[in-house]
Amino acid sequence: MSLYRYFASKNPLQTVMTLEEYHFGEQFEVLPCRQNPPIAAGGQIQKPNIYKVRGNKSETFLNQLVDYIKENVEEQNRVEFWSIWHSEKVPSINIHRINPQQIMIEDLRFLNENENSCIKFFPENDK
């Protein structure tokens, strides 16, 4: 079984391909999915723009993810970040809402706990 991570957005997001300037040159990528929606998402993702997120499961990855979110994600674009094991559902208790401009690495540590989760970067009254 594999862990997959995706950004899903109402509007297009910035792509990233292995940037050297990100924290010690470790690989971090945000690339459009070849198959929209991806089979591994198990039909959970409904947004039109879906991007696969690649990177090592580490503190460095979380730092890179925080940087990417602060630079590229705005609440009005209704962006979601999915972390799921192949086709498994995300339970409602693992759906979080976070302000993208105030996000810190501590807000994302749960992503390394190997549980299916989803972060929604838009206000709670928006569905």
Side-chain angles (χ1 to χ4, degrees):
M1 180 109 29
S2 296
L3 178 68
Y4 294 89
R5 291 186 168 149
Y6 302 101
F7 275 112
S9 178
K10 179 172 101 171
N11 298 313
L13 292 174
Q14 180 69 37
T15 59
V16 176
M17 294 182 66
T18 312
L19 294 180
E20 295 297 324
E21 64 265 27
Y22 273 100
H23 307 280
F24 314 112
E26 284 195 25
Q27 179 177 332
F28 178 80
E29 296 181 325
V30 179
L31 302 170
C33 286
R34 292 183 187 172
Q35 180 178 11
N36 257 353
I39 292 173
Q44 299 172 91
I45 300 176
Q46 303 299 316
K47 303 277 182 228
N49 297 285
I50 303 173
Y51 301 83
K52 184 165 185 153
V53 179
R54 295 182 181 160
N56 298 329
K57 190 177 120 179
S58 65
E59 289 290 304
T60 301
F61 170 78
L62 294 178
N63 276 311
Q64 293 168 328
L65 187 57
V66 165
D67 289 348
Y68 178 86
I69 291 166
K70 283 184 174 181
E71 293 171 13
N72 298 287
V73 174
E74 298 177 8
E75 280 189 316
Q76 66 266 27
N77 289 338
R78 300 175 53 88
V79 176
E80 301 169 347
F81 180 78
W82 294 82
S83 181
I84 52 180
W85 292 94
H86 191 283
S87 297
E88 290 186 7
K89 297 292 182 190
V90 175
S92 60
I93 61 169
N94 287 354
I95 297 177
H96 309 271
R97 291 188 186 270
I98 298 175
N99 180 319
Q101 298 310 306
Q102 297 175 354
I103 195 168
M104 299 185 319
I105 192 170
E106 291 77 23
D107 298 322
L108 300 179
R109 289 199 198 282
F110 68 89
L111 292 172
N112 285 343
E113 295 174 2
N114 294 324
E115 290 188 32
N116 297 330
S117 58
C118 177
I119 301 170
K120 294 188 176 188
F121 295 108
F122 46 92
E124 192 156 346
N125 57 352
D126 287 352
K127 297 294 179 196

XYZ file of all heavy atoms in Angstrom, residues 56-125:
602
model
N 10.182 13.473 0.531
C 10.451 12.514 1.596
C 9.624 12.852 2.826
O 9.439 14.010 3.163
C 11.943 12.535 1.955
C 12.808 12.124 0.796
O 12.403 11.315 -0.031
N 13.987 12.693 0.721
N 9.157 11.810 3.505
C 8.381 12.010 4.733
C 9.353 12.383 5.850
O 9.956 11.522 6.477
C 7.630 10.724 5.074
C 6.628 10.888 6.182
C 5.906 9.601 6.390
C 6.177 9.162 7.823
N 5.515 7.931 8.166
N 9.525 13.676 6.065
C 10.520 14.144 7.022
C 10.170 15.550 7.479
O 9.245 16.178 6.965
C 11.901 14.152 6.366
O 11.924 15.096 5.311
N 10.935 16.057 8.434
C 10.777 17.437 8.875
C 11.080 18.393 7.721
O 10.444 19.428 7.580
C 11.702 17.737 10.055
C 11.290 17.051 11.344
C 10.009 17.621 11.929
O 9.955 18.843 12.159
O 9.069 16.839 12.135
N 12.049 18.028 6.902
C 12.391 18.868 5.757
C 11.204 18.988 4.814
O 10.879 20.072 4.332
C 13.612 18.309 5.010
O 14.708 18.257 5.922
C 13.980 19.161 3.823
N 10.539 17.857 4.554
C 9.351 17.877 3.702
C 8.288 18.802 4.287
O 7.684 19.607 3.576
C 8.780 16.455 3.548
C 7.429 16.425 2.881
C 7.315 16.556 1.506
C 6.273 16.272 3.631
C 6.065 16.539 0.887
C 5.028 16.249 3.025
C 4.921 16.378 1.648
N 8.058 18.715 5.598
C 7.049 19.565 6.221
C 7.418 21.041 6.103
O 6.558 21.889 5.856
C 6.851 19.174 7.682
C 6.257 17.782 7.929
C 6.154 17.507 9.423
C 4.909 17.602 7.253
N 8.702 21.365 6.257
C 9.149 22.750 6.078
C 8.912 23.220 4.648
O 8.466 24.349 4.408
C 10.635 22.893 6.425
C 10.849 23.075 7.910
O 10.213 23.897 8.538
N 11.763 22.300 8.462
N 9.209 22.372 3.690
C 8.995 22.714 2.286
C 7.510 22.910 2.000
O 7.113 23.820 1.259
C 9.568 21.618 1.386
C 11.082 21.532 1.458
C 11.610 20.273 0.798
O 10.950 19.240 0.803
N 12.792 20.363 0.250
N 6.696 22.058 2.588
C 5.255 22.152 2.398
C 4.719 23.461 2.985
O 3.907 24.148 2.350
C 4.572 20.941 3.040
C 3.083 20.772 2.823
C 2.730 20.722 1.347
C 2.589 19.518 3.531
N 5.177 23.835 4.172
C 4.775 25.106 4.785
C 5.148 26.273 3.876
O 4.339 27.166 3.620
C 5.406 25.266 6.189
C 5.311 26.714 6.672
C 4.729 24.340 7.182
N 6.385 26.268 3.376
C 6.827 27.343 2.478
C 5.949 27.427 1.232
O 5.534 28.509 0.816
C 8.285 27.138 2.055
C 9.268 27.373 3.177
O 8.869 27.909 4.237
O 10.448 27.015 3.001
N 5.668 26.272 0.635
C 4.849 26.245 -0.574
C 3.450 26.803 -0.288
O 2.919 27.616 -1.052
C 4.743 24.818 -1.124
C 3.864 24.752 -2.348
C 4.387 25.005 -3.612
C 2.507 24.482 -2.236
C 3.575 24.979 -4.740
C 1.691 24.452 -3.360
C 2.225 24.705 -4.606
O 1.412 24.689 -5.710
N 2.855 26.369 0.813
C 1.500 26.812 1.154
C 1.461 28.315 1.362
O 0.602 29.014 0.820
C 0.991 26.050 2.400
C 0.748 24.573 2.031
C -0.278 26.695 2.958
C 0.566 23.654 3.225
N 2.403 28.845 2.140
C 2.416 30.285 2.410
C 2.606 31.106 1.136
O 2.053 32.194 1.000
C 3.520 30.620 3.412
C 3.152 30.255 4.831
C 4.229 30.691 5.790
C 3.792 30.447 7.218
N 4.819 30.876 8.179
N 3.363 30.565 0.190
C 3.643 31.303 -1.045
C 2.569 31.135 -2.125
O 2.415 31.998 -2.986
C 4.990 30.856 -1.617
C 6.168 31.247 -0.750
C 7.469 30.611 -1.199
O 7.521 30.060 -2.324
O 8.432 30.646 -0.420
N 1.831 30.029 -2.101
C 0.975 29.700 -3.239
C -0.496 29.436 -2.944
O -1.284 29.296 -3.882
C 1.534 28.458 -3.950
C 2.908 28.711 -4.498
O 3.059 29.419 -5.474
N 3.924 28.147 -3.856
N -0.872 29.340 -1.679
C -2.252 28.964 -1.354
C -2.971 30.147 -0.716
O -2.471 30.748 0.235
C -2.271 27.741 -0.402
C -3.692 27.436 0.045
C -1.660 26.530 -1.103
N -4.134 30.471 -1.268
C -4.967 31.537 -0.733
C -6.335 30.967 -0.391
O -6.866 30.126 -1.120
C -5.100 32.666 -1.756
C -3.773 33.312 -2.099
C -3.896 34.374 -3.169
O -5.029 34.722 -3.534
O -2.843 34.846 -3.625
N -6.897 31.431 0.721
C -8.170 30.880 1.186
C -9.271 30.955 0.135
O -10.057 30.021 -0.007
C -8.632 31.600 2.458
C -7.946 31.105 3.700
C -8.569 31.681 4.952
O -8.846 32.891 4.979
O -8.789 30.902 5.888
N -9.319 32.032 -0.619
C -10.410 32.186 -1.581
C -10.346 31.166 -2.719
O -11.315 30.968 -3.429
C -10.454 33.611 -2.144
C -9.260 34.006 -2.982
C -8.181 34.713 -2.191
O -8.058 34.506 -0.986
N -7.407 35.552 -2.850
N -9.205 30.494 -2.886
C -9.088 29.486 -3.942
C -9.566 28.105 -3.508
O -9.518 27.160 -4.288
C -7.647 29.411 -4.442
C -7.277 30.643 -5.232
O -8.133 31.342 -5.748
N -6.004 30.916 -5.323
N -9.997 27.982 -2.255
C -10.593 26.733 -1.750
C -9.708 25.528 -2.038
O -10.105 24.559 -2.677
C -11.984 26.546 -2.344
C -12.931 27.683 -1.999
C -14.266 27.555 -2.694
N -14.888 26.267 -2.494
C -15.688 25.954 -1.488
N -15.963 26.838 -0.565
N -16.209 24.751 -1.394
N -8.488 25.573 -1.533
C -7.501 24.516 -1.761
C -7.601 23.455 -0.667
O -7.816 23.774 0.495
C -6.074 25.109 -1.796
C -5.021 24.026 -1.932
C -5.964 26.110 -2.945
N -7.437 22.197 -1.075
C -7.400 21.072 -0.136
C -6.063 20.356 -0.288
O -5.497 20.313 -1.379
C -8.533 20.089 -0.440
C -9.904 20.704 -0.358
C -10.994 19.816 -0.921
O -10.681 18.813 -1.602
O -12.164 20.138 -0.706
N -5.583 19.789 0.807
C -4.377 18.954 0.773
C -4.759 17.593 1.323
O -5.188 17.473 2.464
C -3.257 19.571 1.608
C -2.000 18.741 1.602
C -1.151 18.773 0.508
C -1.684 17.919 2.668
C 0.000 18.003 0.483
C -0.535 17.148 2.649
C 0.311 17.186 1.562
N -4.628 16.570 0.494
C -5.017 15.206 0.848
C -3.775 14.353 1.097
O -2.831 14.390 0.317
C -5.827 14.584 -0.276
C -7.145 15.236 -0.500
C -7.391 16.379 -1.210
C -8.401 14.810 0.009
N -8.724 16.674 -1.166
C -9.372 15.728 -0.433
C -8.801 13.719 0.789
C -10.717 15.599 -0.111
C -10.137 13.592 1.103
C -11.087 14.522 0.652
N -3.802 13.581 2.161
C -2.744 12.619 2.468
C -3.459 11.297 2.740
O -4.090 11.130 3.795
C -1.942 13.076 3.688
O -0.903 12.176 3.986
N -3.395 10.378 1.763
C -4.219 9.164 1.863
C -3.457 7.926 1.403
O -2.639 7.978 0.495
C -5.514 9.291 1.016
C -5.195 9.712 -0.417
C -6.480 10.262 1.651
C -6.408 9.853 -1.312
N -3.737 6.836 2.086
C -3.259 5.537 1.622
C -4.165 5.125 0.468
O -5.364 5.428 0.471
C -3.292 4.513 2.753
C -2.275 4.845 3.797
C -2.472 5.561 4.932
C -0.883 4.523 3.758
N -1.291 5.713 5.606
C -0.294 5.087 4.920
C -0.079 3.828 2.864
C 1.064 4.959 5.191
C 1.269 3.705 3.147
C 1.829 4.258 4.301
N -3.628 4.474 -0.501
C -4.307 4.166 -1.761
C -5.789 3.837 -1.568
O -6.142 2.835 -0.963
C -3.605 3.001 -2.450
C -4.058 2.798 -3.858
N -5.253 2.194 -4.177
C -3.481 3.139 -5.040
C -5.386 2.144 -5.489
N -4.339 2.714 -6.038
N -6.652 4.734 -2.058
C -8.109 4.573 -2.115
C -8.817 4.485 -0.769
O -10.003 4.223 -0.727
C -8.487 3.342 -2.952
O -8.062 3.540 -4.273
N -8.124 4.698 0.346
C -8.794 4.655 1.640
C -9.491 5.978 1.909
O -9.047 7.032 1.480
C -7.796 4.334 2.763
C -7.287 2.908 2.697
C -6.412 2.552 3.883
O -6.306 3.361 4.825
O -5.836 1.465 3.856
N -10.594 5.930 2.620
C -11.365 7.137 2.927
C -10.734 7.901 4.092
O -10.118 7.323 4.977
C -12.811 6.769 3.297
C -13.573 6.107 2.171
C -13.823 7.075 1.043
C -14.634 6.431 -0.070
N -14.689 7.236 -1.257
N -10.936 9.208 4.083
C -10.484 10.065 5.175
C -11.651 10.238 6.145
O -12.697 10.771 5.759
C -10.021 11.440 4.654
C -9.681 12.365 5.814
C -8.825 11.276 3.724
N -11.498 9.801 7.403
C -12.588 9.991 8.368
C -12.767 11.470 8.703
O -11.810 12.250 8.656
C -12.132 9.194 9.596
C -10.656 9.056 9.457
C -10.341 9.134 7.987
N -13.984 11.854 9.046
C -14.272 13.270 9.303
C -13.423 13.842 10.435
O -13.107 15.039 10.419
C -15.759 13.471 9.597
O -16.141 12.716 10.725
N -13.021 13.030 11.407
C -12.184 13.546 12.493
C -10.780 13.905 12.007
O -10.046 14.606 12.704
C -12.094 12.565 13.690
C -11.478 11.236 13.250
C -13.438 12.356 14.344
C -11.110 10.329 14.411
N -10.402 13.445 10.827
C -9.081 13.757 10.268
C -9.149 14.811 9.165
O -8.245 14.925 8.354
C -8.414 12.491 9.728
C -7.928 11.587 10.840
O -7.976 11.942 12.005
N -7.468 10.412 10.478
N -10.225 15.575 9.131
C -10.333 16.696 8.205
C -10.110 17.971 9.018
O -10.831 18.241 9.986
C -11.694 16.721 7.494
C -11.843 15.463 6.633
C -11.838 17.981 6.643
C -13.175 15.318 5.939
N -9.074 18.716 8.668
C -8.662 19.896 9.415
C -8.869 21.146 8.567
O -8.779 21.094 7.355
C -7.181 19.796 9.783
C -6.820 18.498 10.434
N -6.877 18.308 11.791
C -6.412 17.308 9.919
C -6.509 17.065 12.084
N -6.233 16.447 10.965
N -9.092 22.266 9.221
C -9.164 23.558 8.545
C -8.055 24.433 9.103
O -7.943 24.599 10.311
C -10.521 24.220 8.753
C -11.621 23.479 8.037
C -12.926 24.263 8.098
N -13.995 23.469 7.527
C -14.334 23.482 6.241
N -13.686 24.234 5.409
N -15.319 22.730 5.806
N -7.241 24.963 8.207
C -6.083 25.752 8.610
C -5.993 26.995 7.724
O -6.190 26.905 6.510
C -4.783 24.921 8.485
C -4.833 23.692 9.411
C -3.561 25.767 8.814
C -3.647 22.756 9.266
N -5.667 28.121 8.333
C -5.436 29.348 7.584
C -4.079 29.221 6.896
O -3.061 29.068 7.572
C -5.449 30.550 8.531
C -5.225 31.861 7.815
O -4.389 31.968 6.919
N -5.961 32.872 8.225
N -4.012 29.290 5.573
C -2.743 29.044 4.875
C -1.663 30.079 5.180
O -0.476 29.763 5.149
C -3.128 29.068 3.399
C -4.400 29.831 3.339
C -5.099 29.581 4.632
N -2.037 31.304 5.466
C -1.034 32.333 5.720
C -0.486 32.294 7.140
O 0.525 32.919 7.431
C -1.612 33.716 5.406
C -2.008 33.876 3.952
C -0.902 33.456 2.987
O 0.207 33.942 3.086
N -1.198 32.555 2.068
N -1.131 31.550 8.030
C -0.663 31.438 9.407
C -0.109 30.056 9.731
O 0.213 29.762 10.868
C -1.804 31.778 10.367
C -2.291 33.204 10.231
C -3.503 33.489 11.094
O -4.060 32.594 11.717
N -3.909 34.736 11.134
N -0.002 29.204 8.745
C 0.411 27.831 8.966
C 1.863 27.741 9.439
O 2.711 28.522 9.032
C 0.203 26.990 7.678
C 0.277 25.514 8.000
C 1.160 27.412 6.582
C -0.202 24.626 6.879
N 2.109 26.797 10.338
C 3.465 26.524 10.835
C 3.685 25.020 10.784
O 2.728 24.241 10.679
C 3.614 27.042 12.262
C 3.398 28.549 12.367
S 3.705 29.264 14.002
C 3.023 28.108 15.126
N 4.929 24.609 10.874
C 5.238 23.181 10.776
C 4.500 22.368 11.848
O 4.093 21.237 11.597
C 6.761 22.932 10.809
C 7.049 21.490 10.407
C 7.358 23.305 12.147
C 8.505 21.192 10.168
N 4.292 22.955 13.020
C 3.577 22.251 14.091
C 2.156 21.886 13.668
O 1.610 20.887 14.128
C 3.534 23.104 15.371
C 4.873 23.279 16.046
C 5.785 24.301 15.360
O 5.268 25.189 14.640
O 7.014 24.186 15.522
N 1.573 22.687 12.784
C 0.219 22.408 12.295
C 0.166 21.184 11.385
O -0.919 20.645 11.140
C -0.323 23.612 11.514
C -0.449 24.856 12.360
O -0.820 24.736 13.541
O -0.170 25.951 11.831
N 1.323 20.757 10.874
C 1.358 19.663 9.898
C 1.999 18.377 10.418
O 2.066 17.398 9.693
C 2.116 20.121 8.645
C 1.543 21.327 7.914
C 2.409 21.676 6.725
C 0.115 21.061 7.484
N 2.460 18.366 11.637
C 3.154 17.167 12.153
C 2.286 15.915 12.098
O 2.779 14.819 11.944
C 3.648 17.401 13.564
C 4.804 18.361 13.628
C 5.581 18.248 14.913
N 6.384 19.432 15.130
C 7.532 19.697 14.523
N 7.994 18.859 13.626
N 8.203 20.789 14.783
N 0.963 16.087 12.212
C 0.074 14.923 12.153
C 0.181 14.187 10.816
O -0.174 13.013 10.719
C -1.376 15.328 12.432
C -1.992 16.176 11.362
C -2.654 15.590 10.290
C -1.897 17.560 11.411
C -3.209 16.369 9.300
C -2.464 18.347 10.423
C -3.116 17.756 9.370
N 0.688 14.850 9.773
C 0.826 14.192 8.472
C 1.833 13.051 8.513
O 1.807 12.166 7.669
C 1.244 15.205 7.404
C 0.213 16.266 7.045
C 0.825 17.305 6.119
C -1.010 15.632 6.411
N 2.735 13.043 9.474
C 3.721 11.967 9.605
C 3.227 10.819 10.481
O 3.988 9.918 10.798
C 5.039 12.517 10.136
C 5.797 13.282 9.075
O 5.517 13.157 7.895
N 6.752 14.072 9.493
N 1.962 10.839 10.866
C 1.407 9.793 11.732
C 0.788 8.640 10.945
O 0.192 7.748 11.524
C 0.364 10.391 12.679
C 0.968 11.380 13.658
C -0.078 12.071 14.504
O -1.286 11.759 14.372
O 0.317 12.941 15.297
N 0.913 8.647 9.636
C 0.414 7.566 8.776
C -1.099 7.369 8.837
O -1.589 6.271 8.656
C 1.114 6.246 9.093
C 2.571 6.300 8.739
O 2.952 6.918 7.760
N 3.403 5.655 9.537
N -1.828 8.431 9.095
C -3.284 8.355 9.050
C -3.784 9.137 7.847
O -3.189 10.127 7.448
C -3.893 8.950 10.326
C -3.650 8.110 11.561
C -4.427 8.636 12.763
O -5.532 9.197 12.556
O -3.933 8.488 13.873
N -4.886 8.694 7.280
C -5.500 9.432 6.184
C -5.999 10.763 6.711
O -6.615 10.824 7.777
C -6.665 8.642 5.597
C -6.210 7.342 4.999
O -5.099 7.235 4.533
N -7.069 6.344 5.020
N -5.734 11.820 5.969
C -6.154 13.136 6.439
C -6.378 14.077 5.265
O -5.942 13.831 4.151
C -5.115 13.721 7.397
O -3.870 13.814 6.749
N -7.067 15.174 5.568
C -7.307 16.227 4.582
C -7.261 17.567 5.298
O -7.835 17.717 6.381
C -8.669 16.045 3.920
S -9.082 17.375 2.751
N -6.548 18.517 4.711
C -6.515 19.881 5.230
C -7.271 20.756 4.241
O -7.002 20.710 3.037
C -5.071 20.403 5.359
C -4.260 19.501 6.283
C -5.076 21.844 5.874
C -2.773 19.817 6.264
N -8.197 21.543 4.750
C -8.951 22.461 3.909
C -8.482 23.875 4.236
O -8.534 24.307 5.385
C -10.450 22.310 4.139
C -10.947 20.940 3.681
C -12.442 20.845 3.713
C -12.860 19.498 3.140
N -14.310 19.413 2.958
N -8.017 24.565 3.216
C -7.516 25.922 3.378
C -8.565 26.940 2.960
O -8.355 27.762 2.092
C -6.242 26.124 2.552
C -5.097 25.278 3.024
C -4.682 24.185 2.275
C -4.423 25.569 4.196
C -3.618 23.413 2.688
C -3.366 24.797 4.627
C -2.952 23.715 3.876
N -9.746 26.841 3.562
C -10.776 27.847 3.338
C -11.644 27.931 4.570
O -11.664 26.991 5.384
C -11.582 27.597 2.065
C -12.065 26.210 1.827
C -13.316 25.798 2.270
C -11.290 25.308 1.117
C -13.764 24.515 2.010
C -11.742 24.025 0.837
C -12.986 23.628 1.299
N -12.327 29.045 4.779
C -13.084 29.269 6.008
C -14.105 28.158 6.265
O -14.640 27.556 5.335
C -13.781 30.606 5.777
C -12.945 31.283 4.758
C -12.397 30.187 3.881
N -14.357 27.920 7.547
C -15.231 26.819 7.947
C -16.650 26.962 7.414
O -17.317 25.975 7.133
C -15.265 26.695 9.466
C -15.914 25.411 9.916
C -15.471 24.990 11.286
O -14.481 25.526 11.796
O -16.132 24.100 11.836
N -17.140 28.186 7.241
C -18.507 28.355 6.734
C -18.616 28.085 5.236
O -19.700 27.990 4.703
C -19.052 29.756 7.066
C -18.171 30.861 6.514
O -17.085 30.605 6.005
N -18.651 32.077 6.637
